[in-house]
Amino acid sequence: MRWKLANPDSVVVERLQAHAGVNPLLARLLVIRGITTVADARHFLLPTLELLHSPYLMRGMQAAVERISSAIANRETILIYGDYDVDGTTAVVVLKTAIELCGGTADFHVPHRIKEGYGIKDDVIERAAAAGVRLVISVDTGIRAFQAAETARRVGLDLIVTDHHLPEANEGVPNALAVLNPNQAGCEYPCKALCGAGVAFKVAQALFARFKDQADQARLVPSFLKMAAMATIADAVELTGENRVIARLGLEGLRRPVNGGLKALMEVAGLAGSGRALRAGDVGFRLGPRINAAGRMDVARDVIELFTSKDQQRCREIAVKLDQLNTERQKEEARIVAEIDEQLAAEPDLAKKFCLVLDGDGWHRGVVGIVASRVVEKTGRPALVVARDGAEAHGSGRSIAALHLLEALESCHDLFTRFGGHQHAVGFALPSAHLPELKLRLNQFAQDALSEEDLIPQLDVDAEIPLSAVTPALLADLARLEPFGQGNPEPVFASRGVSLLLPPRVIKEKHIKLRVNQKSPDMKNSLNYEAVGWRMAERLRAEPLESGRPLDLAYTITMNHHPDFGGLELSLEDFKRPALAARGV
C-alpha cells in the first residue's frame, strides 16, 4: 500500500489558523478538506439548522407538495413505495410520519428482496389502484421506473418519484406527475449527494412549512433529522454540505432518542445509556447493519413497524429480532467470503483481473453487497458478487475511486434485466447465461479505464506526527470535524520509528493488538499506546513482527470506552518496516 502525505498550501493553512482561531494541525486538516475561509470553517465546525436549503430549490417539489396537500385535504390514502435497505425503510418512516402529522393517511409497500426484487412493480401499482389509491410516492427508488410510470397513468393513478440514484443516461426520468431527484437534469438543488431518506426529509420539511406553525417546525425538523442522519451515514453518501448538517445535528439528537423503536434498537446495539455522543461509526457498524438485516435476511416491513409502533414491548421484540437477523447475516457473509477466498486461491489469475466478477450457487443475494466490499478491501479492485439461482442471477458491486461502476455497467446494459446505482455501488439482475460475457466485457472496460497504478491501494495520510502528539486535546479537536465518512474521511496520521514493546496479540482470530512506544521529541518521556489492527491477523501471519523492532504506523485515533482498560487508542490503517517505507512501498 502506498502512503500519500497531504500537501496543503501552507499560506492558506497559516491564514486560516490566524483568522479562524484554530490551532495549526486543525487548520491543516480543514484545508485538506477544502475548508479555506473563515466562513466555511465556521459552518463546517458549527453547523446549524439555518444551513439547510429550502426544499423548493429542488425541481418538482412545488408540484409534489401541491398534490400531497390535495390528497391530505381530500382524505385520500397515499401509498409510499420504498426500498428494503436502511435508506429505503427510513425514508418510508420519514415521509409516512410527516404526512400523518400533517393530517393525512399513508400506507406503505416495501418489496421483499427475494420474492419481488428491487424497484416499483406493475402489479403493486395495479392492486393499489384497484383498492382506491390515487397517489403513490416512491422513496429511494423509481428513477428508472419507466414502465411503472406508464402503468400508473394507465390505471389513473398519480406517481411522484423521489430518489437519489443516477437517472438513465439517455432516457432521462420517468413520465411521472413529479420527479424529485437532485441528480436529474435541470435540477439546481445545491446538495447533489442527498440519500433517499434525505430527499424524503426535504419533502417532509416542505410539508411542515405548509401545515405547521413556526413553533411546530422548530420542534419537528430537528426530530426528523435523527432518522435522516442514520440513512445518510449508513448509505455512505458524501458527508459534506447539507449532508454534513443532517448527519451532525441528527447524531446529536440521537443522544436523546424519543422514538420507542429507536430506543429499543440502541439498547440491543449496546448504545443506550452510554452518555457519550454517537459517532458515525456507531450508525455504520451497529445501528445500520441491524436495520439492514431485516431486508437482507427477512422482511423489511419490520423496520417500519419498529419505528412507528407505540407499543414499547413490541418495539423490543422487533429490535431483538433484528439483532438475531444481523447475526445470521454475519454468518452468511462469512460463509460466502470463505468460498470466494477458495476461488481466489484456486485461480490465482482471477485476482489479477481489472474488475472481478465472482459468482456462486446458493449465495444469499441479501449479503452480496457487503461481500463485494470485503473483496474490494482484500484485492484493491472493483468487484461484483453474484448470487446464481438457476437461470437468474442477482448481484451487487462495489468500486475503487478510479472507476465509475455505474458507467461500467451501462457499457454492457444489454446483458441486464435491470441495473442501477451510482459511481461506487451498483445492484443488478441478469440471466445466469450472460455471466461469462459480463466477466469479459467488464474486465475489458476496466482495463481500458484503469492503469496498473490505479490498482495499487493508496492510503491518504493527513499529517506525520510524533506519538506524543496523540493526546485528549487532539482527540477533542478531531471530534469537531466529525461525523466522518465519504467526502470527510477520518484523519489518518503517521508516526515513524515507533517501537513494538511486546509480541503482537491476535484477538478473536481476526484482529491484532500491538503495544507501541516512542520517545517524546525532547527525549524525556516515553509514551506507550495500544494499537488495534482490525482484520489484520491474516496479514500478521504473512508478515510476523518482532518486539523491539521499529515500525512506521499509519492510524486513526479513537477512545476505548471500556471501564477497565479504556483510553486513547490507535486504530491501525497500515504498518511498515522503516526500510520498506523508505523505498516507498
Side-chain angles (χ1 to χ4, degrees):
M1 180 182 291
R2 294 175 296 166
W3 295 8
K4 183 179 179 181
L5 180 64
N7 185 29
D9 188 321
S10 59
V11 174
V12 177
V13 172
E14 290 172 5
R15 184 169 63 236
L16 191 65
Q17 175 193 345
H19 296 292
V22 295
N23 63 51
L25 183 55
L26 187 56
R28 174 187 174 90
L29 296 175
L30 287 168
V31 173
I32 290 170
R33 281 150 185 76
I35 310 300
T36 59
T37 69
V38 173
D40 287 344
R42 184 180 300 115
H43 292 162
F44 189 88
L45 296 173
L46 296 169
T48 63
L49 290 174
E50 288 69 31
L51 296 177
L52 294 174
H53 303 305
S54 166
Y56 289 100
L57 294 175
M58 192 176 296
R59 182 186 179 107
M61 185 65 74
Q62 185 69 45
V65 171
E66 292 292 340
R67 181 63 183 91
I68 297 170
S69 300
S70 173
I72 292 172
N74 295 324
R75 299 177 182 269
E76 298 177 46
T77 296
I78 301 169
L79 180 66
I80 302 173
Y81 200 124
D83 189 21
Y84 36 66
D85 64 359
V86 175
D87 195 14
T89 52
T90 53
V92 170
V93 173
V94 165
L95 193 54
K96 182 177 187 296
T97 307
I99 288 171
E100 291 172 347
L101 285 171
C102 293
T105 302
D107 198 358
F108 68 93
H109 178 81
V110 177
H112 190 285
R113 181 188 290 264
I114 306 301
K115 297 177 181 177
E116 296 178 73
Y118 178 83
I120 305 177
K121 303 302 179 185
D122 290 353
D123 61 328
V124 178
I125 296 291
E126 291 167 346
R127 287 199 303 272
V133 173
R134 291 293 172 262
L135 174 61
V136 172
I137 308 173
S138 76
V139 289
D140 192 37
T141 188
I143 197 60
R144 299 187 178 211
F146 301 102
Q147 180 59 47
E150 295 307 316
T151 299
R153 286 184 174 274
R154 175 172 55 80
V155 299
L157 185 152
D158 290 330
L159 174 65
I160 296 173
V161 172
T162 78
D163 201 355
H164 72 117
H165 297 99
L166 296 180
E168 210 283 333
N170 299 315
E171 296 187 45
V173 299
N175 187 19
L177 182 143
V179 176
L180 281 69
N181 185 329
N183 293 299
Q184 68 177 306
C187 183
E188 298 181 358
Y189 194 77
C191 183
K192 300 296 184 182
L194 287 174
C195 67
V199 178
F201 168 76
K202 301 308 294 187
V203 178
Q205 190 182 356
L207 290 173
F208 293 152
R210 172 167 292 218
F211 286 93
K212 300 294 182 180
D213 61 24
Q214 290 292 332
D216 281 342
Q217 289 181 57
R219 173 178 57 86
L220 289 170
V221 170
S223 177
F224 274 63
L225 281 174
K226 288 178 275 193
M227 200 66 65
M230 288 197 299
T232 298
I233 293 167
D235 212 51
V237 294
E238 288 200 359
L239 297 184
T240 57
E242 188 175 37
N243 276 346
R244 175 172 173 79
V245 179
I246 291 171
R248 175 74 169 262
L249 299 184
L251 282 175
E252 290 177 3
L254 285 172
R255 297 180 72 168
R256 301 169 297 280
V258 176
N259 181 279
L262 189 53
K263 287 181 179 179
L265 187 67
M266 291 176 68
E267 285 174 6
V268 300
L271 294 173
S274 66
R276 65 180 178 86
L278 263 62
R279 305 182 68 201
D282 294 319
V283 173
F285 298 110
R286 294 201 189 184
L287 298 180
R290 287 171 170 82
I291 298 172
N292 251 337
R296 293 187 188 281
M297 308 302 292
D298 193 33
V299 289
R301 294 183 63 90
D302 287 342
V303 175
I304 289 87
E305 184 181 356
L306 173 69
F307 291 127
T308 56
S309 175
K310 305 300 182 184
D311 182 340
Q312 193 59 41
Q313 179 58 34
R314 179 58 182 151
C315 289
R316 175 69 184 177
E317 291 171 358
I318 298 172
V320 169
K321 178 182 177 181
L322 296 185
D323 191 52
Q324 294 169 343
L325 288 173
N326 190 51
T327 299
E328 293 178 21
R329 186 272 304 171
Q330 291 171 327
K331 292 178 180 177
E332 182 64 14
E333 175 192 335
R335 183 181 72 85
I336 298 174
V337 168
E339 290 190 24
I340 287 176
D341 286 342
E342 290 176 2
Q343 285 188 23
L344 295 174
E347 304 177 59
D349 289 342
L350 185 59
K352 299 177 183 178
K353 301 285 187 183
F354 277 71
C355 181
L356 305 181
V357 181
L358 303 157
D359 58 289
D361 287 316
W363 291 357
H364 196 299
R365 72 173 75 164
V367 302
V368 291
I370 306 172
V371 174
S373 296
R374 296 281 179 264
V375 175
V376 175
E377 289 174 11
K378 185 184 292 285
T379 66
R381 294 160 191 261
L384 279 66
V385 177
V386 187
R388 294 195 310 267
D389 184 12
E392 285 295 314
H394 299 80
S396 291
R398 300 293 184 267
S399 195
I400 60 175
L403 185 74
H404 195 301
L405 198 53
L406 184 58
E407 289 181 359
L409 265 59
E410 285 174 339
S411 73
C412 42
H413 62 88
D414 53 299
L415 299 178
F416 300 103
T417 51
R418 71 156 185 86
F419 71 96
H422 48 78
Q423 179 175 351
H424 304 293
V426 294
F428 56 89
L430 77 166
S432 297
H434 288 176
L435 281 170
E437 181 70 11
L438 178 67
K439 294 177 181 181
L440 288 172
R441 289 167 65 174
L442 279 183
N443 187 63
Q444 187 60 56
F445 181 94
Q447 192 169 344
D448 292 340
L450 300 173
S451 66
E452 290 285 355
E453 187 171 333
D454 291 328
L455 299 176
I456 302 173
Q458 176 177 295
L459 180 63
D460 292 321
V461 176
D462 291 82
E464 287 191 12
I465 61 174
L467 279 186
S468 59
V470 179
T471 64
L474 174 56
L475 191 64
D477 276 339
L478 298 181
R480 300 176 68 187
L481 301 177
E482 292 192 30
F484 300 124
Q486 292 288 337
N488 182 35
E490 187 167 3
V492 175
F493 300 101
S495 295
R496 306 281 185 177
V498 171
S499 297
L500 181 60
L501 293 179
L502 300 170
R505 287 184 289 146
V506 175
I507 305 170
K508 295 182 179 180
E509 300 182 355
K510 294 187 297 185
H511 318 301
I512 64 173
K513 179 168 280 192
L514 312 180
R515 185 73 171 170
V516 295
N517 168 286
Q518 187 181 48
K519 291 280 188 181
S520 60
D522 59 12
M523 302 302 289
K524 293 181 180 179
N525 298 308
S526 181
L527 304 171
N528 300 340
Y529 293 86
E530 295 281 353
V532 179
W534 304 107
R535 293 198 296 272
M536 286 189 176
E538 185 177 335
R539 178 179 172 189
L540 184 64
R541 285 188 280 270
E543 302 176 48
L545 297 177
E546 299 175 11
S547 57
R549 299 290 296 275
L551 282 176
D552 290 346
L553 302 183
Y555 54 88
T556 59
I557 303 169
T558 63
M559 177 64 74
N560 185 330
H561 293 279
H562 194 282
D564 296 325
F565 47 82
L568 285 172
E569 191 171 78
L570 313 181
S571 182
L572 291 178
E573 295 290 326
D574 196 16
F575 59 83
K576 295 179 180 180
R577 296 179 181 85
L580 295 177
R583 294 200 296 269
V585 298

